[in-house]
Amino acid sequence: MTIRVCSQSGCQIHTTGKCLEGFDPVEECPYVSSAAVPDNVSEPEPSISKFVDLPSGDALSSEQANQIARSGPTRLVVVAGPYGSGKTTIITSLYESFQEAPVSGYLFGGSRTLVGFEKRCHDGRAHSGRLTPETPHTSMRNGERYLHLRLATLERASLRDIHLLLADISGEQFAKIRDSSAAAQDLQALKRADQLCLVVDGEKVVDPKLRHGARNDTRSILRSILEANVLSPSCRIDAVFTKWDIIVNAMRGPQKESLGKYLEQTRLALSSVRPSLNLQFHEVAARPRSSAVPFAHGV
């Protein structure tokens, strides 16, 4: 067996059959010659890329979230509320809580979005250099993104895994839903949600000028979602007062009576949107700025 070889550096005539100098036929090239190859020498193996396409670890797209949902038992939670109400902080505080201990009997079993979580947690930590903890704003340009936790619970002396998908959606998207129930039809996360968590901004609750707008925003979001008829019949709906540490501190002052009345009126206003829902209410301080309540209170 013979092959064509070339003394010119960079010529690949032995694999491509084409002359580097452009001679045709290639035998006319003065640098080309023939060489004998022993019969027991096999053809060279095609080159294999040394690069492996690894997951980015960032928040998941809808299709990537669907792949996880198809792989095993999964629960999808949508945290809904206006811009700045504390939606993403609730999500990140849950992740950070698992770094300390099990949560509600569940063990941390891993995550496909560790990078996504860490990006959102960075500004809330001391090494960020910020004087006060912050959570970066979720941009509407990102569309629907999902953060993932794999949890494990001990059942009958064996571990049972469950995937938890947390939809991280911008407040601007929920502002559109507040103003039009048609916008709820465009949000795929609502159609697949196992739990909807409605947020009332606790920081606005303590401001008499803003508190009624905060209640109306959450109430309008709930009404639009229900009118759009996008939720599964089995979807559980809860309401959350965020930044509860701010409310606790305000209740220690002259606002105690008016705040208590407002909170009760808000519970009634949200429940009246559809009484059959049997809304459950919770008080959450995901990342408190005072010692009034512990970290991830109510999460």
Side-chain angles (χ1 to χ4, degrees):
M1 176 182 176
T2 61
I3 61 170
R4 296 188 182 92
V5 294
C6 181
S7 58
Q8 285 277 72
S9 176
C11 182
Q12 300 294 320
I13 192 171
H14 63 287
T15 56
T16 65
K18 295 182 179 180
C19 176
L20 181 66
E21 301 292 338
F23 283 93
D24 189 13
V26 295
E27 287 80 8
E28 296 180 0
C29 178
Y31 301 104
V32 172
S33 59
S34 297
V37 178
D39 292 339
N40 61 349
V41 176
S42 60
E43 291 291 323
E45 293 289 331
S47 61
I48 300 176
S49 173
K50 296 181 180 179
F51 297 98
V52 178
D53 187 16
L54 295 175
S56 69
D58 213 336
L60 305 171
S61 65
S62 294
E63 178 53 37
Q64 290 169 324
N66 284 338
Q67 291 174 6
I68 288 178
R70 289 192 290 265
S71 69
T74 304
R75 289 191 64 82
L76 171 59
V77 178
V78 176
V79 185
Y83 168 79
S85 56
K87 300 183 299 300
T88 303
T89 309
I90 290 174
I91 293 172
T92 57
S93 67
L94 177 61
Y95 161 70
E96 291 187 292
S97 295
F98 276 109
Q99 298 182 23
E100 300 294 332
V103 177
S104 298
Y106 286 94
L107 304 169
F108 177 76
S111 172
R112 298 189 190 180
T113 57
L114 288 175
V115 174
F117 275 120
E118 289 296 322
K119 283 181 178 179
R120 289 159 175 79
C121 291
H122 174 74
D123 289 347
R125 294 173 176 165
H127 62 247
S128 70
R130 292 179 175 271
L131 297 178
T132 56
E134 301 288 345
T135 301
H137 169 57
T138 301
S139 173
M140 190 171 177
R141 293 192 301 270
N142 295 336
E144 296 183 45
R145 287 293 181 268
Y146 301 84
L147 293 162
H148 167 255
L149 291 171
R150 187 173 75 247
L151 309 179
T153 181
L154 191 62
E155 293 184 4
R156 298 179 181 177
S158 63
L159 288 174
R160 176 179 177 271
D161 284 349
I162 183 171
H163 296 289
L164 183 62
L165 291 171
L166 303 157
D168 189 23
I169 300 168
S170 72
E172 289 87 350
Q173 181 64 49
F174 286 111
K176 292 173 63 177
I177 291 173
R178 175 197 63 197
D179 298 334
S180 171
S181 60
Q185 293 282 355
D186 299 329
L187 203 58
Q188 294 300 312
L190 289 174
K191 300 176 182 179
R192 302 193 299 267
D194 296 293
Q195 183 166 353
L196 174 65
C197 178
L198 294 159
V199 169
V200 182
D201 190 340
E203 190 168 9
K204 292 181 178 179
V205 164
V206 300
D207 188 333
K209 297 179 181 178
L210 301 176
R211 63 176 55 155
H212 297 292
R215 177 170 64 206
N216 291 337
D217 281 346
T218 304
R219 190 168 186 263
S220 296
I221 289 171
L222 174 59
R223 182 187 290 112
S224 288
I225 291 173
L226 295 177
E227 288 178 353
N229 198 31
V230 292
L231 296 176
S232 163
S234 62
C235 179
R236 172 179 167 178
I237 305 177
D238 292 327
V240 169
F241 293 100
T242 61
K243 308 171 189 176
W244 189 249
D245 56 310
I246 298 177
I247 297 176
V248 168
N249 287 328
M251 291 280 279
R252 293 170 177 167
Q255 289 197 67
K256 180 177 180 179
E257 185 176 345
S258 63
L259 264 178
K261 184 180 295 185
Y262 168 84
L263 293 172
E264 182 59 29
Q265 290 173 346
T266 299
R267 293 185 180 97
L268 291 173
L270 294 177
S271 297
S272 67
V273 174
R274 186 173 293 177
S276 61
L277 290 177
N278 191 26
L279 277 179
Q280 301 296 309
F281 292 87
H282 307 273
E283 296 86 29
V284 167
R287 187 182 289 125
R289 298 187 180 184
S290 73
S291 57
V293 294
F295 177 80
H297 170 77
V299 173

